[in-house]
Amino acid sequence: MMNLFCIIILLLLNIDLKAQMYDESQIFNCKDDNYGEESEQINSQKLKLFPIDCWTFVLLSPVTFIISIRIIYEFFKDFRLFGGPGDVIFVITVTNAIQSLIQFSTALYVFIEDQAPANLFCDITGIATSIVFVISNLNIFIFSAYPLALVYNTLEKTVKFVRISNYSLTTLIIILVILAFIFDDNIISITLNGMCAISATHQSFWDYIIATIYLVVFLLFATMSIIYVFAFKKLVPKMSSIRQLRGQYLRYYQKFIIFSLVMKFFLGIFSAINLLNCYIFYKSYLLASETCQNVTQALCILGQVIIITRDPLLIPKLKHSQTSESQSEMDSPNVTQTEISMQQFNLLEQLQKEMKKTQVISMLAGIQMLIKQNQDNTIIYKDLEINDDQDDTEESSSGDLSDLIEIAHQPFTPEEVQECLVINLNNDLIKSQFNDTQNIQVFQMRCILYAPKIFNYFVTLDNIDLEDSFDVNKNLQQIDNFTGPDGGKSGEFFFFSHNNQLIMKTMRQQEVNTYKKRLLNFATYQANNPESLLNKIYGMYTFERLEKSEAKVHFLIMKNLSLGVPKNQILRTYDLKGSEYDREVLAKKSESDLSKLTLKDLDFFKIEKQIWVDQSIIKKLNQNLIKDTDFLEKQKLIDYSLLVMIIDWKEKKQQFFNHFGGQQINFNPSIKEQGIYYHIGIIDYLQQWNVNKSLERKTKKIIQLNLHLDTSAQEPNRYGKRFKEKLINRILPL
């Protein structure tokens, strides 16, 4: 492509020397203040496309348009292509198709009218060119950032934020350009390269401002794109499981980014020459830069669509290639035709899946290695070289850290809260410590377990077998089949152990800070209240990859209240907060199988009315839940939920009793139907009351125009009072 570009440049120079296409009569003077009709006609002749520009557009634009339409057709033929960065590529392709159409129509206009575009034609093409130019460059930038967002932290939904930002900015750009034209239709005029667009010709100040903005945007785009490419290489290691995917994607990724950067660089150079020639130089031989700018633009969009057609990330390969590459997979009865079709082109999703798989394996292996560590080899957390994102509001809302309820004994010390176990995980360590028959590979990570002695106390007390539950080899099939869930509104990552006894859940930094400051209180309270219904946490970890220590993965391990029962035995699941606003699911969804839904407060009172257990159990549950709520209220925590699962244990009653462990209070038999049990526990209790929650509550009230709206987010004392009065006392009436 660049060879073709150089040949065209030489051809233009040859035309300049022999045909004298560029002479002084074609020079446009931006300082000229004459605005008469005659002057406008002269300027129109000076700014019209040169013949070579027109022929370039006539020859290249149809090719670009046809290829673009072919790509667009593939997208509409298979909507799955819009996944991943496909939507970004689709927008780039559409904008390139529009640009090619504008170039072709402008060339025809000049051939027919023998003058630069004017009036309605110029307005329409000018608006389209301005919108397309900005959106195209924005999406090229997004395309360069997209893969990094996908693999930077494979357990977070960063990509969703990138896509929403892209759609929002695209909509904003379209609105701003249209509004600008409505308020000032003179904003669209002929640019120095003969195309209609937003222009400030005759206003040197704004011309230089626009040129400077273009330069700054290009430098930012170039710098960030290069950083993204190198960061992507660094973050995706050359491990055998992902080496092929990594190399295959990087070849196309780099080709598209580098080609776009080079072409944008030349466009900027030629545009700057045109501007300087218009204001300062007034040299006829520099008029060739106008042609160079148009040719470069035509080659840029053509080159981009050609690269896209060769990108296996989005476009399925030809039939003979598909047959040869997927024949071995077709022989497998477990691989569907749909899965094969997706595997053939969606390299980035494959890469992200492999990265997520390796991330989870690394976390499980890290847990295993920390279990093997001697409890006496702890170090003080503050001695680690690690930076926490502290919450500015934490000090003012840290809760009552001294007045605990009914303390009979204090089994823990403040020093034990500050302790942690640390190991550096790598593949050599895995090979030396594990009987690895699966060729397990992990990221190089520093693994930190907070307060190991405190968490080990509860692990031992409740007879939790962490080593078996998170055994890497036993969980491999679980990891391979894993597709979610990803934490609902919170966006957190969940992983269920192979025996479904325990859950691994990621945490935000704010939750880590909140729990660390209250860990001694939680541990002391739960040790003194064995019948507490607070779902216990059996470990809190921070894992950080050595090549990007600023990005940490925080997660905790907690009990799965379903006790690993098969999904077909879970009849109904409720997430209850005591609020009525936006707390109904059935009114919004027509799903007849209630076991597939997580129901809420209003659904519970319509279907269940209350928890139907023996009166003595009601009294015990009521007292313990109120005590737990008082404790959380003192810690100034909010947004916790009462999880109620109604589970059919008739077929596996013996298995149920084997799982009782030390938390019998969480599982209670129904008096309405034999074999039906209520699994009950308080979950998600690490959210503190802060400015964001206060704004959330006020915003919802304003939107609903109701100052008395009973939103979920409330101050700790009001949240606790509502939780007790409108939930506990209602579902467990004394």
Side-chain angles (χ1 to χ4, degrees):
M1 184 60 68
M2 288 309 300
N3 290 335
L4 177 61
F5 177 76
C6 294
I7 291 172
I8 293 176
I9 292 296
L10 292 175
L11 177 62
L12 292 175
L13 292 175
N14 185 57
I15 292 173
D16 180 35
L17 293 173
K18 292 184 178 181
Q20 295 297 315
M21 181 185 300
Y22 311 107
D23 56 45
E24 293 183 358
S25 65
Q26 299 295 324
I27 298 175
F28 181 81
N29 186 353
C30 292
K31 295 180 180 179
D32 187 3
D33 294 330
N34 295 320
Y35 296 104
E37 184 176 341
E38 183 179 350
S39 177
E40 289 293 331
Q41 291 178 353
I42 294 173
N43 290 338
S44 179
Q45 288 297 320
K46 289 181 178 181
L47 291 175
K48 75 175 183 179
L49 293 173
F50 292 109
I52 187 64
D53 302 44
C54 293
W55 282 112
T56 300
F57 287 160
V58 168
L59 293 174
L60 297 184
S61 297
V63 179
T64 304
F65 185 77
I66 292 171
I67 297 175
S68 299
I69 293 300
R70 169 61 179 165
I71 296 171
I72 293 169
Y73 168 75
E74 291 291 343
F75 273 90
F76 284 112
K77 191 170 72 171
D78 189 345
F79 284 99
R80 292 170 300 168
L81 288 169
F82 285 97
D87 52 346
V88 177
I89 288 296
F90 177 79
V91 172
I92 293 174
T93 304
V94 170
T95 57
N96 286 350
I98 295 173
Q99 285 188 69
S100 65
L101 196 59
I102 293 171
Q103 290 172 350
F104 185 78
S105 60
T106 302
L108 289 183
Y109 184 98
V110 173
F111 276 143
I112 296 170
E113 299 292 335
D114 193 27
Q115 65 176 20
N119 304 324
L120 181 61
F121 180 87
C122 188
D123 290 339
I124 294 174
T125 57
I127 292 173
T129 298
S130 301
I131 292 174
V132 161
F133 174 79
V134 180
I135 292 177
S136 176
N137 283 279
L138 170 66
N139 278 269
I140 292 172
F141 180 78
I142 295 293
F143 176 76
S144 66
Y146 206 105
L148 186 62
L150 200 61
V151 302
Y152 188 75
N153 190 335
T154 56
L155 305 185
E156 292 183 356
K157 290 185 174 181
T158 314
V159 169
K160 184 178 180 181
F161 172 76
V162 173
R163 298 177 79 173
I164 292 174
S165 301
N166 186 21
Y167 298 152
S168 301
L169 286 172
T170 299
T171 304
L172 181 63
I173 289 165
I174 295 172
I175 293 173
L176 288 177
V177 172
I178 294 175
L179 287 177
F181 176 75
I182 291 174
F183 287 105
D184 182 9
D185 56 359
N186 291 324
I187 197 172
I188 302 295
S189 61
I190 304 295
T191 60
L192 295 175
N193 65 323
M195 302 294 291
C196 291
I198 292 179
S199 175
T201 305
H202 298 298
Q203 300 179 43
S204 58
F205 173 77
W206 287 109
D207 272 343
Y208 287 126
I209 288 294
I210 292 172
T212 303
I213 291 174
Y214 182 93
L215 176 62
V216 171
V217 170
F218 169 77
L219 291 176
L220 176 65
F221 166 66
T223 303
M224 295 306 295
S225 297
I226 292 171
I227 290 174
Y228 287 149
V229 170
F230 281 103
F232 185 81
K233 285 184 175 181
K234 184 179 181 181
L235 293 178
V236 184
K238 295 180 180 180
M239 299 166 57
S240 59
S241 60
I242 57 178
R243 182 183 290 117
Q244 183 178 359
L245 291 171
R246 177 186 186 273
Q248 195 173 2
Y249 182 73
L250 269 175
R251 281 194 295 273
Y252 291 98
Y253 178 61
Q254 291 180 126
K255 185 184 295 183
F256 187 91
I257 296 301
I258 292 173
F259 174 81
S260 298
L261 278 178
V262 170
M263 301 307 281
K264 297 296 180 184
F265 172 77
F266 280 113
L267 280 172
I269 293 295
F270 295 138
S271 180
I273 292 173
N274 293 338
L275 187 64
L276 293 174
N277 195 44
C278 177
Y279 277 104
I280 300 174
F281 300 133
Y282 308 115
K283 301 296 183 183
S284 60
Y285 61 84
L286 291 179
L287 291 173
S289 65
E290 297 179 19
T291 298
C292 291
Q293 182 178 349
N294 288 325
V295 173
T296 303
Q297 181 62 34
L299 289 173
C300 178
I301 61 176
L302 175 60
Q304 286 175 351
V305 295
I306 289 175
I307 293 174
I308 291 172
T309 60
R310 299 177 180 179
D311 190 346
L313 173 64
L314 298 169
I315 306 302
K317 296 182 179 180
L318 298 175
K319 289 185 178 180
H320 67 273
S321 178
Q322 290 178 343
T323 303
S324 61
E325 290 184 5
S326 61
Q327 187 62 49
S328 60
E329 294 179 358
M330 288 288 288
D331 295 335
S332 173
N334 297 323
V335 181
T336 66
Q337 183 66 42
T338 300
E339 291 171 336
I340 294 170
S341 176
M342 290 298 288
Q343 290 169 4
Q344 287 169 344
F345 61 86
N346 210 334
L347 288 181
L348 191 55
E349 286 193 1
Q350 282 184 266
L351 183 60
Q352 197 249 3
K353 181 180 178 181
E354 289 297 325
M355 290 280 289
K356 178 180 281 191
K357 176 181 175 180
T358 306
Q359 177 80 61
V360 175
I361 289 175
S362 301
M363 293 162 71
L364 297 181
I367 293 171
Q368 294 282 297
M369 296 305 303
L370 287 167
I371 291 172
K372 298 176 185 292
Q373 293 296 300
N374 189 326
Q375 293 283 322
D376 295 328
N377 293 337
T378 59
I379 62 175
I380 303 302
Y381 177 78
K382 65 181 181 181
D383 294 336
L384 290 174
E385 294 181 3
I386 185 170
N387 294 319
D388 286 342
D389 302 322
Q390 298 293 341
D391 189 344
D392 294 337
T393 64
E394 182 71 22
E395 184 177 353
S396 62
S397 56
S398 57
D400 187 345
L401 301 180
S402 57
D403 183 19
L404 290 175
I405 303 171
E406 299 179 13
I407 298 179
H409 69 288
Q410 175 57 280
F412 314 112
T413 65
E415 290 73 22
E416 289 175 329
V417 175
Q418 299 299 321
E419 293 176 343
C420 60
L421 282 175
V422 182
I423 62 161
N424 289 320
L425 185 69
N426 55 58
N427 285 315
D428 292 335
L429 182 63
I430 293 298
K431 291 178 181 177
S432 64
Q433 296 292 328
F434 286 92
N435 181 19
D436 182 14
T437 60
Q438 301 286 341
N439 191 26
I440 295 171
Q441 293 185 314
V442 297
F443 292 134
Q444 294 186 37
M445 308 184 81
R446 178 165 68 164
C447 310
I448 303 168
L449 167 62
Y450 300 97
K453 294 175 184 176
I454 293 177
F455 286 120
N456 186 62
Y457 173 90
F458 292 108
V459 167
T460 305
L461 180 68
D462 293 343
N463 195 28
I464 302 297
D465 192 346
L466 284 178
E467 191 167 3
D468 177 75
S469 293
F470 292 113
D471 181 273
V472 178
N473 287 305
K474 291 181 180 179
N475 280 283
L476 282 179
Q477 185 176 358
Q478 186 86 349
I479 296 170
D480 285 332
N481 298 332
F482 184 78
T483 57
D486 288 324
K489 289 183 178 180
S490 69
E492 299 302 332
F493 172 87
F494 284 80
F495 179 80
F496 293 77
S497 62
H498 72 93
N499 53 15
N500 275 327
Q501 297 298 303
L502 299 171
I503 301 173
M504 187 165 63
K505 176 192 175 185
T506 57
M507 309 170 67
R508 297 185 300 273
Q509 179 69 59
Q510 183 190 44
E511 291 178 316
V512 175
N513 296 338
T514 298
Y515 193 53
K516 278 167 57 180
K517 285 183 176 291
R518 296 163 173 80
L519 180 55
L520 182 60
N521 272 28
F522 269 99
T524 304
Y525 174 79
Q526 290 179 306
N528 282 275
N529 295 275
E531 292 192 332
S532 166
L533 284 107
L534 295 175
N535 197 27
K536 280 201 187 84
I537 295 174
Y538 295 113
M540 184 171 71
Y541 303 80
T542 291
F543 281 21
E544 54 184 26
R545 286 180 54 186
L546 298 181
E547 64 269 29
K548 53 162 193 167
S549 59
E550 75 283 355
K552 301 177 284 291
V553 177
H554 308 290
F555 65 97
L556 54 80
I557 294 173
M558 60 185 180
K559 187 84 170 180
N560 181 5
L561 283 175
S562 74
L563 295 181
V565 66
K567 289 184 178 180
N568 60 358
Q569 291 180 234
I570 302 176
L571 305 180
R572 291 175 296 283
T573 301
Y574 295 94
D575 181 287
L576 308 176
K577 292 181 181 290
S579 172
E580 294 183 357
Y581 171 69
D582 197 26
R583 301 296 297 171
E584 187 172 16
V585 175
L586 292 178
K588 300 177 182 178
K589 297 184 179 180
S590 58
E591 177 63 57
S592 58
D593 186 356
L594 300 185
S595 65
K596 296 181 179 179
L597 301 173
T598 299
L599 304 169
K600 297 184 179 180
D601 299 67
L602 297 180
D603 303 311
F604 181 90
F605 293 119
K606 285 181 180 178
I607 300 172
E608 314 295 343
K609 309 299 183 187
Q610 68 172 74
I611 292 178
W612 301 97
V613 293
D614 186 85
Q615 191 63 34
S616 61
I617 296 177
I618 286 181
K619 183 178 180 180
K620 183 185 294 186
L621 287 173
N622 185 291
Q623 290 175 346
N624 282 285
L625 284 172
I626 287 180
K627 186 185 293 186
D628 290 340
T629 306
D630 289 338
F631 169 75
L632 294 174
E633 189 177 330
K634 284 180 176 289
Q635 305 310 307
K636 295 192 176 180
L637 298 172
I638 62 167
D639 239 11
Y640 40 89
S641 301
L642 183 66
L643 182 67
V644 177
M645 306 179 77
I646 302 176
I647 297 179
D648 182 359
W649 280 101
K650 290 193 290 286
E651 302 298 326
K652 298 188 177 182
K653 198 166 186 178
Q654 186 57 46
Q655 180 184 341
F656 168 70
F657 288 111
N658 292 339
H659 288 315
F660 254 144
Q663 287 186 299
Q664 292 92 332
I665 190 69
N666 293 99
F667 317 107
N668 302 278
S670 170
I671 59 174
K672 292 185 72 175
E673 189 175 355
Q674 188 176 6
I676 302 299
Y677 277 74
Y678 292 95
H679 293 219
I680 304 171
I682 296 178
I683 61 171
D684 297 337
Y685 47 75
L686 296 181
Q687 174 63 56
Q688 65 175 0
W689 175 254
N690 53 30
V691 175
N692 291 336
K693 284 296 177 180
S694 178
L695 289 174
E696 176 188 326
R697 183 185 66 173
K698 292 176 181 177
T699 302
K700 288 180 178 179
K701 287 184 176 182
I702 293 172
I703 292 173
Q704 296 296 322
L705 300 177
N706 183 358
L707 295 178
H708 303 288
L709 188 67
D710 185 29
T711 61
S712 176
Q714 299 285 345
E715 296 95 330
N717 58 336
R718 293 182 63 180
Y719 192 95
K721 181 180 179 182
R722 185 184 66 189
F723 199 78
K724 288 179 285 188
E725 293 179 356
K726 294 189 176 182
L727 180 61
I728 298 173
N729 290 335
R730 193 172 171 186
I731 66 173
L732 295 164
L734 295 177

